[in-house]
Amino acid sequence: RIQDAAFSNLFKQRMKATLLLIVTTLALVCIVSGQGRNTTNCRNKLHGKEYNLWPLYLRIKGDVQTAISSGQFYFYLPCGSVVEQVPECSGFAYDREPAVCQKDGRQPPQFHGCGTANTSREGVPIWESLSSGAEGFRLVYNKSGEPSQRFQRMTSIDFICDPTKDPGALEGKNPDENPMHYYHLEWRTKYACPVSNKKGEAA
């Protein structure tokens, strides 16, 4: 009986260890693949080519990116919202999940939501081909208007395929605002190149 009890305890311990290993492995797989997180705004197909920004999110370790243009700061996070890392961009009445947030050049500065990451809203974000004909795509973040609904602020970001840029940098375009309250940024990176394999990695 003592031997049976000892065997039973050993068996239970091994089963717990095995289950823990399985759960840990599944969690890692979900993190790497982007499962378990809303990646609706991370990947899409345009003209038969698939694009995936999740590897870029992993490459920048989920850190909010900043672009400075015309004396204004733009905060952006692909595949998510900036609010957790930029608290000044939280608490807006009309958009609690801005993907793009602006700190303007006024003194004191004001913060504005410039496009939502809330994929429950129809057409968030809008995926478009680049008007220049370059390889890559454009994301248009709209459905915002912070801090006032009178001004519908929105942002377009051109993701331009450049295999030499890893991860590249978020930058302002010239002009960076046209028309008023429509902001324009770009990011040259290898992660804007079409997906070439089943893992979702860029060519």
Side-chain angles (χ1 to χ4, degrees), residues 117-195:
N118 185 350
T119 55
S120 65
R121 301 188 185 185
E122 184 178 356
V124 176
I126 299 170
W127 290 70
E128 299 177 346
S129 297
L130 295 176
S131 56
S132 65
E135 183 66 81
F137 54 93
R138 172 178 294 162
L139 293 187
V140 179
Y141 291 91
N142 56 2
K143 309 289 186 181
S144 186
E146 297 295 346
S148 168
Q149 280 189 318
R150 288 193 306 122
F151 306 117
Q152 288 296 312
R153 292 179 168 86
M154 57 191 294
T155 305
S156 72
I157 304 178
D158 287 359
F159 285 89
I160 302 170
C161 173
D162 188 338
T164 68
K165 304 291 186 182
D166 183 12
L170 182 69
E171 299 177 333
K173 292 185 67 177
N174 185 20
D176 59 2
E177 182 180 359
N178 184 37
M180 184 180 290
H181 298 135
Y182 187 8
Y183 308 101
H184 306 282
L185 308 173
E186 70 176 26
W187 195 335
R188 295 179 180 273
T189 176
K190 75 174 190 177
Y191 299 100
C193 301
V195 171

Side-chain angles (χ1 to χ4, degrees), residues 37-39 41-42 52-54 57 76-81 117 141:
R37 179 186 178 90
N38 190 346
T39 58
N41 56 356
C42 268
N52 185 4
L53 285 178
W54 183 249
Y57 176 91
Y76 172 64
L77 180 63
C79 307
S81 172
Y141 291 91

Side-chain angles (χ1 to χ4, degrees), residues 55-75:
L56 175 60
Y57 176 91
L58 296 177
R59 177 66 177 82
I60 63 176
K61 301 179 181 179
D63 291 333
V64 167
Q65 305 298 294
T66 305
I68 304 175
S69 184
S70 302
Q72 303 185 109
F73 290 77
Y74 296 90
F75 306 102

Side-chain angles (χ1 to χ4, degrees), residues 4-139:
D4 290 344
F7 177 79
S8 178
N9 289 333
L10 179 62
F11 178 77
K12 290 179 180 178
Q13 290 176 0
R14 289 184 175 177
M15 284 298 294
K16 288 181 179 178
T18 301
L19 287 173
L20 179 61
L21 178 62
I22 291 173
V23 170
T24 302
T25 302
L26 288 174
L28 289 172
V29 169
C30 288
I31 291 173
V32 171
S33 65
Q35 297 174 3
R37 179 186 178 90
N38 190 346
T39 58
T40 306
N41 56 356
C42 268
R43 61 191 308 163
N44 207 339
K45 285 185 177 181
L46 288 173
H47 305 295
K49 296 179 180 179
E50 183 177 353
Y51 298 96
N52 185 4
L53 285 178
W54 183 249
L56 175 60
Y57 176 91
L58 296 177
R59 177 66 177 82
I60 63 176
K61 301 179 181 179
D63 291 333
V64 167
Q65 305 298 294
T66 305
I68 304 175
S69 184
S70 302
Q72 303 185 109
F73 290 77
Y74 296 90
F75 306 102
Y76 172 64
L77 180 63
C79 307
S81 172
V82 301
V83 295
E84 292 183 2
Q85 299 176 51
V86 189
E88 295 88 349
C89 298
S90 64
F92 291 141
Y94 308 111
D95 182 16
R96 300 300 180 94
E97 302 177 53
V100 186
C101 181
Q102 179 201 68
K103 174 184 175 183
D104 66 25
R106 285 180 274 192
Q107 293 298 329
Q110 294 187 13
F111 289 81
H112 310 277
C114 300
T116 188
N118 185 350
T119 55
S120 65
R121 301 188 185 185
E122 184 178 356
V124 176
I126 299 170
W127 290 70
E128 299 177 346
S129 297
L130 295 176
S131 56
S132 65
E135 183 66 81
F137 54 93
R138 172 178 294 162
L139 293 187

